[in-house]
Every structure is written in C-alpha cells, then in structure tokens.
C-alpha cells in the first residue's frame, strides 16, 4: 500500500482514508493509493460498502495542478473514477474542508455523498483556464440542473454544505467534527436498507428537461459576455453542458475530453496556472523564513478619512479588527464615516452582507480628531496626501504616541519609506503598506521594506495581508514601488503616441482588446482630467483640455464626448486640441498603426520596466511583478501578467522592437540590460528569482 492510503474495516464497512498534505491533491501517489486501497476493499468479502475519506485539512482539492503539461501517469483520474462508479459495493464519499475540481468529480462518482456542515464543494477549474475534465460538466447538471450548473462551473464558486444538500449534490450532512463516525453510520444504513447503487450518470430528468432548449445557453452567453471576454474556458464549459443536455452520457464525456484537451494545451490556461502558483509564491521571502515571529495585530489606526483611508479601514472592519480613524477636521471625519457606511449599506442592499453585519462593522469603527487616540493601536497606517514634509511630521508625532512595538505604516504610492522612517526613532518598525484603489476591493497589497525594517515587521505585514484577504507582494523602496512604477510607461507612451497620429479611441481599443477593462484615455476621462493632471507643471494635452472646461466624463467631456447616458463618441474638439499641441511642439506624425503595434509601443515598455525592477532587486521574482500587475492593475490573467506574457511573445522579439523604437529617438525605450541578457541566454523573465 502506498503511504498516503490507509485501509481499515469496521463492522463490514471498509474505510479508505487518504492523507497527502497539504490539500490531498489527486497526484499520482494519491491516485495509486485510491486504486490500491479500493481494490483491496473490493476484494474483501467481509466488506459490504466503502467510505472514501481524507485526513488532514480537506477532502481532495482537485487534480494536482503541477502535473498538467507533463506526461500522464497511470492510473489517471478517469480510471479511479470509473473504478468507484462501477463498484459493485456502495461507495460513500465523506467530505470535509473543500471538495474541489477533480475532488468533487471523484465524489460525484461515488454512490452517495455526506459532508461536514462546514464543508464546501465547487468546480473551480475555470480559474485555471480549464474545465472540470473528469466528468464534472456531465454529472453536475444531472444533479443540480442546467442553469445552476452553468453558473457554478463558469464562476468556479464554492457552494456551502447546506446549499449542496438542498440542491442534491450531497445526500446528508453529518455532525460537525464527527464525519468519520457519521459517514460509517450512514454507510451501514445503506447496507441495511439495501439501497441502490445510485450512479449520477444514470440520472437524466434534470438535463432532459432542457433538451432542444438552445435559448437558455444563448441567454447565458449574452448576459456573461463581458465577464467572459478574453477567456477560453467559459465557452468550452458552456459547450460541455450543452453536450450534457443533448448527448448520451458517454458521448458527452467524450466531448468534455476534447474540450478539456483544447484548454489544457492553451497559453491562456498555462498563464492562469502560472498565476495560481505565482499568487502563492509571493509570501515566500528568502531571508524572512516562515517561522519568523509576527506581532499580533488586534487594533488598527488609520490616519486620513479620504477615499483611500476609508477603503483601508474597511478591510480591517470586514475582518473584525477594530479601527480608529483619525482626521484633522470634524467635517472630513464625518464625511469619511458616512462614505464607509454608505458603502456597507449598498453591499447590504445587494444582499452580500446583512444589516446586522453593517452595524457590527460600523460598531468596530472609532472616529477621532487627535493622533493621541492611536496610542494603543498595534498598527497605524498613514493615508494622507502625498507630501513628504507632512508625512514626516505625522511620523515624528506618532513616534511620541505609538506604543512600543507598534507597526508604523505609510500608504504612500511614491515617496521614500526610508526618509519617512528617518522622522522616527524606530525605523525598524516602519514599513509601507500600499493599497490600490478602491482599497476595499483591489486584492494587491504592496508591503514595502525599508532599509531598516525589521524582519518580524515584514512577516507581520505579509501575514496581515492574508488576514484581510489581500495578496501581499514585497517591494523594496523606489519611486512608485512595483505596480505603479511598472505601469507608468503605459500611460507615458499613450500620451506620447496620441500626439503622433493614432487617435485616443484607436489606442484605447487596442488596450481594451488586449484585455484591460478600458484604455488609458477612457480611464483618464473617468477619473477626471483635472485630477490626473493636478501636479503637472508642463503643458500637456490633458491640461489644454481642462483649460477648455473639458474635465472628463463629469464635465464637458474629455478625450471623448459623452451623451446623457455617458456613452462615449470621438470628440472633434479633443482631436483639434491634440493636433494643435502636436503642431506647436513639432511632433512628427507616424500614420496609422495596427493594434499589435500600438500594444507593443505601450506594453513592451512595461515589460522593460519590469526587467529594471527585477535587476534593481525591487521585486524578489518575476512572478511577483506579474501578481502586482494582475492584482493591482487588472492586467488580464489569461496573459499571465507582463513578465509571463513577454516570455510567450519571445524576449528576443521584444528587445528587437524596443531597439527599433529607441532608434526613432525614443531613449525611454532602451532595453534593460537584464532583458537583453535573458533574451540572449534564451531564459525567461517570469522565472527570474523562481526557486
Ligand atoms: N494541485 C497542486 N497543488 C495545490 C493544489 C492543487 N490542486 N491546490 C493547492 N495546492 C498547493 C498550493 O500551491 C500550496 O502550496 P505551497 O504551500 O507550496 O504554496 C498548498 O497546496 C496550499 O494551498 P493554499 O495556500 O491555497 O491553501 P489554502 O488553505 O489557502 O486553500 C484550497 C486551499 C482552497 C484547496 C486552495 O489551495 C485551492 O483553491 N486549490 C486549488 C483548487 C483547484 O483549483 N482545484 C481544481 C484543480 S484542476 C482539476 O481538478 C482538473 C480536473 O477537473 C480534471
């Protein structure tokens, strides 16, 4: 017997227990364990029925993602599924933790499923650019119906045990903490009652009801077109569920196989699988080992009740951590508080939290007008506007107020953390915690490590990020840290290019079609051209538009004109402003460019900046840069982020293009030495710093 499987027999019930930390992924060792253990129990005449259960923190969390793209090893997941489904003895899955992907599919091959009340089930393959490839797309609709299956599989959402019971995915819930005992009892009852071998594949009524109904799929495609844009997996999932409805079971399985293989070999899925591991890798810091002591964070102070400060505070309130919010003026404080309340009320209206949750969260919030109110806080985050003298003044004051050992953080986007820390006598407790707007939504949290920041402070920042549902990326100090610095060239080059002939809409379309939610000019109009251009002293197109009263969507239009429903159309006025500016500055025109060329001019410089960030040691690894772009700027995940994407394009091609752009007089395009080196050596940007 393989060491992951344990087989025991209790009163005629065979128990096959699998324990393969951390999450019982269905890799080859686990599949062998199931195969051998199951065959042993099947051959044992004393065994009347079998319980399949897992040790550790969860039931099988799915196929082993690291095996995709490698040569298949026998037995495959399909083989073990078939073994169980074809069993002459009833097999009962006993689920705790999360039965996900291949794990749930395996359970759907069992004849019955019981679960702990805290368990969750789901088919999250879509997040990896895949579809459930072990029969999930054929079996789940047979249990829960077509509409629910479409929703569950294309969203990858987890279902709690109660809902799973109600929808027919589960047959019974056990007592919490008594899964093994209750699953055995359930199985004994199956034997005593001589219950049938219920095979999900044989159930037809829920799919038969939709046979010939093409409308349900057409509607689903239409209403989700925006969310699915650019991703391959959702469409293949829909096709599989269509097959589940229209084809006999085995033919549906064959179709699922074809559509799965199409995905597993796609660049999109490779990128999404890479992103899955990249997200988990960021917390690993070579000189801050996992056992580095952390400081308990039981109360937080936030300075500044503006959009950023309020959003930051919400993260902690959501996690049940009390926050003291400090502002200088009562009016600003009141406004900040009411925005937070309004945000919660609107979430409650959408049914995502209850009114009681709103009150509970607001109850954890203490407003204050004096920094002295922060004397007991374990962590203080300063989120006032970007002014070094003001930040230094605040940190100097905090030094005299904060209790010993408290973490002193700045949410600065660009300023030097070391200089801010120098205003205190405890720079080892100072760090950057850089949130992305909207701070209660965006998942990236840059943890900025100053020259003197203590390891335990960094470890605490990384851990805290997880507590509040963020993905932490460690950054060293530089202007803009990782994400803002990385993405800055995109805006810079868009502004330069629009003066050379391509229109705002051509540039925006190219960026939109690449996979971003909107292009740089649409974004500018949305945020407000007066807001973005505020700090600029030079003449800019933005400034010229603002001078004409064109502030963006909110007033007068901006790069676009807007109707009363905020639909954008190209603006002749903006076109004239751009043309005048180009003429005044004698900017050479470039003519019409393809989308590919526009993308290269805007995004290759981002790749180049990423290489600089890596060669300067600002980011630890290429995949951290990608996580920052995906989580902080919604860089499309199916490209894997700028570093992974660059690898798929070919670094040599990117270097050649950058050199060509540089030769036109664009010194900013000069390729980074690291990029040139990696291209010459045939190495990958996304692998820089990888273990
Ligand atoms: N394969 C390989 N490794 C996996 C894995 C998987 N399916 N799921 C998790 N891991 C690894 C993680 O990389 C991590 O490794 P590390 O410690 O070296 O960084 C470790 O297990 C723990 O994972 P998390 O840090 O994510 O632990 P959490 O407790 O936060 O979450 C979880 C647990 C909810 C199970 C989460 O890991 C998860 O969502 N896993 C992926 C589930 C999934 O996508 N399953 C579908 C796989 S594809 C499939 O089944 C195809 C089939 O249809 C044919």
């Amino acid at each position: 017997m393989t060491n992951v499987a344990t087989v025991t027999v209790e009163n005629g019930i065979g128990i096959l227990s699998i324990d393969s930390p951390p999450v019982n992924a269905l890799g080859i060792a686990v599949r062998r364990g199931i195969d051998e253990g199951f065959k042993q129990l099947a051959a044992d005449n004393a065994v009347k029925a079998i319980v399949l259960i897992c040790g550790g923190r969860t039931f099988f969390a799915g196929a082993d993602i690291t095996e995709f793209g490698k040569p298949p090893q026998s037995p495959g997941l399909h083989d073990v599924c078939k073994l169980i489904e074809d069993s002459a003895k009833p097999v009962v899955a006993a689920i705790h933790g999360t039965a996900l992907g291949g794990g749930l599919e395996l359970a759907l091959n069992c004849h019955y499923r019981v679960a702990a009340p805290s368990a969750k089930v789901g088919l999250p393959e879509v997040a990896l650019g895949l579809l459930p490839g072990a029969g999930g797309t054929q079996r789940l609709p047979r249990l829960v119906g077509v509409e629910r299956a479409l929703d569950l599989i294309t969203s990858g959402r987890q279902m709690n045990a109660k809902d799973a019971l109600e929808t027919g995915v589960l047959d019974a819930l056990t007592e919490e903490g008594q899964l093994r005992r209750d699953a055995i009892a359930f199985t004994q009852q199956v034997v005593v009652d001589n219950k049938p071998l219920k095979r999900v594949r044989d159930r037809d009524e829920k799919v038969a009801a939709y046979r010939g109904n093409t409308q349900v799929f057409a509607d689903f495609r239409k209403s989700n077109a925006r969310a699915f844009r650019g991703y391959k997996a959702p469409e293949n999932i829909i096709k599989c569920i269509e097959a589940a409805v229209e084809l006999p079971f085995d033919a549906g399985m064959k179709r699922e196989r074809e559509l799965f293989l199409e995905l597993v070999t796609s660049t999109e899925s490779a990128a999404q699988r890479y992103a899955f591991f990249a997200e988990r890798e960021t917390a690993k810091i070579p000189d801050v080992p996992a056992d580095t002591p952390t400081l308990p964070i039981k109360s937080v102070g936030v300075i500044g009740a503006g959009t950023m400060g309020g959003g930051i505070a919400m993260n902690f309130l959501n996690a049940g951590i009390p926050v003291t919010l400090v502002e200088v003026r009562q009016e600003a404080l009141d406004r900040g508080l009411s925005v937070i309340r309004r945000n919660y009320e609107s979430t409650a209206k959408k049914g995502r939290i209850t009114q009681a949750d709103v009150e509970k969260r607001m109850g954890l919030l203490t407003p204050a007008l004096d920094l002295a109110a922060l004397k007991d806080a374990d962590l203080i985050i300063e989120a006032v506007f970007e002014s070094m003298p003001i930040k230094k003044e605040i940190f100097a004051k905090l030094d005299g107020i904060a209790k010993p050992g408290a973490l002193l953080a700045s949410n600065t986007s660009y300023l030097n953390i070391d200089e801010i820390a120098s205003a205190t006598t405890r720079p080892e407790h100072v760090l950057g915690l850089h949130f992305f707007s909207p701070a209660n939504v965006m998942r990236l949290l840059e943890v900025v490590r100053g020259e003197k920041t203590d390891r335990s402070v960094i470890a605490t920042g990384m851990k805290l990020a997880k507590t509040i549902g963020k993905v932490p990326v460690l950054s060293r100090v530089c202007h803009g840290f990782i994400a803002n610095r990385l993405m800055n060239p995109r805006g810079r080059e868009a502004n330069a290019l629009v003066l050379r002939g391509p229109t705002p809409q051509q540039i925006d379309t190219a960026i939109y079609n690449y996979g971003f939610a909107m292009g740089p000019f649409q974004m500018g109009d949305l945020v407000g051209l007066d807001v973005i251009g505020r700090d600029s002293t030079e003449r800019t197109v933005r400034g010229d538009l603002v001078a004409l009263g064109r502030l963006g969507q909110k007033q007068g239009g901006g790069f676009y004109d807007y109707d009363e429903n905020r639909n954008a159309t190209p603006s002749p006025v903006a076109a004239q402003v751009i043309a005048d500016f180009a003429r005044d500055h004698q900017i050479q025109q470039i003519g019409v460019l393809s989308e590919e060329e526009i993308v290269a001019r805007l995004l290759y410089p981002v790749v180049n900046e990423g290489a600089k960030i890596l060669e300067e040691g600002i980011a630890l690894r290429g995949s951290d840069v990608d996580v920052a772009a995906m989580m902080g700027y919604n860089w499309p995940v199916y490209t894997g982020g700028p570093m992974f994407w660059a690898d798929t394009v070919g670094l040599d091609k990117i270097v050649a293009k950058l050199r060509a752009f540089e030769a036109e007089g664009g010194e900013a395009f000069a390729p980074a030495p690291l990029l040139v080196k990696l291209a010459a050596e045939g190495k990958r940007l996304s692998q820089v710093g990888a273990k």
Side-chain angles (χ1 to χ4, degrees), residues 503-552:
T503 62
Q505 47 278 16
Q506 281 163 352
I507 295 173
D508 283 345
T509 304
I511 291 299
Y512 177 82
N513 287 342
Y514 179 85
F516 287 95
M518 60 180 85
F521 299 105
Q522 288 167 307
M523 179 62 98
D525 276 4
L526 182 69
V527 177
L529 300 184
D530 52 334
V531 178
I532 309 180
R534 215 165 27 199
D535 301 332
S536 173
T537 48
E538 288 174 7
R539 182 181 162 197
T540 59
V541 171
R542 260 191 331 248
D544 287 0
L545 288 167
V546 171
L548 290 177
R550 297 183 69 89
L551 308 189

Side-chain angles (χ1 to χ4, degrees), residues 190-206:
V190 168
V191 175
V192 170
D193 296 348
N194 203 12
K195 283 198 178 151
L197 290 169
K198 284 208 308 189
R199 301 196 308 173
V200 177
R201 58 176 287 149
D202 298 334
R203 303 203 24 197
D204 194 47
E205 69 281 4
K206 292 222 165 125

Side-chain angles (χ1 to χ4, degrees), residues 22-23 25-26 57-58 61-66 68 77 98 100-103 105 124-125 128 130-134 158 260 276-277 280-281 284 466 691:
V23 296
L26 286 150
R57 64 202 227 211
T58 181
D64 184 339
I65 305 167
T66 59
F68 293 124
L77 187 51
T98 41
L100 298 178
E105 292 175 293
E125 286 87 344
L128 302 167
L130 296 173
L131 56 81
Q158 291 180 12
F260 178 83
F276 175 87
F277 290 112
R280 283 158 178 79
E281 205 55 25
K284 295 168 193 162
K466 299 233 157 143
K691 60 174 188 277

Side-chain angles (χ1 to χ4, degrees), residues 284-306:
K284 295 168 193 162
I285 307 170
D287 68 335
V288 185
D291 58 1
T292 306
T294 57
L295 306 155
I297 305 292
K298 298 211 163 60
S299 63
V300 173
V302 176
I303 306 170

Side-chain angles (χ1 to χ4, degrees), residues 52 74 149 164 186 226 363 453 560 636 688:
L52 177 61
S74 216
F186 178 95
R226 219 181 136 87
T453 312
Y560 296 86
V688 172

Side-chain angles (χ1 to χ4, degrees), residues 119-201:
K120 290 187 172 157
V121 302
L123 294 173
E125 286 87 344
V126 69
L128 302 167
L130 296 173
L131 56 81
T137 67
Q138 304 305 297
R139 289 192 179 86
L140 194 67
R142 284 175 158 79
L143 286 178
V144 304
V146 166
E147 271 138 328
R148 200 171 267 134
L150 278 169
D151 169 48
L152 283 171
I153 309 179
T154 59
S155 71
R157 200 159 44 76
Q158 291 180 12
M159 209 194 237
N160 64 40
K162 187 170 149 281
D163 291 344
L165 180 68
E166 275 165 18
T167 51
V169 177
L170 298 175
D171 297 290
L173 298 189
T174 65
E175 194 183 311
E176 195 65 58
Q178 297 294 346
L179 179 68
R180 192 174 193 276
R181 182 199 71 186
D182 291 357
I184 293 173
F186 178 95
T187 311
Q188 274 166 336
Q189 204 57 47
V190 168
V191 175
V192 170
D193 296 348
N194 203 12
K195 283 198 178 151
L197 290 169
K198 284 208 308 189
R199 301 196 308 173
V200 177
R201 58 176 287 149

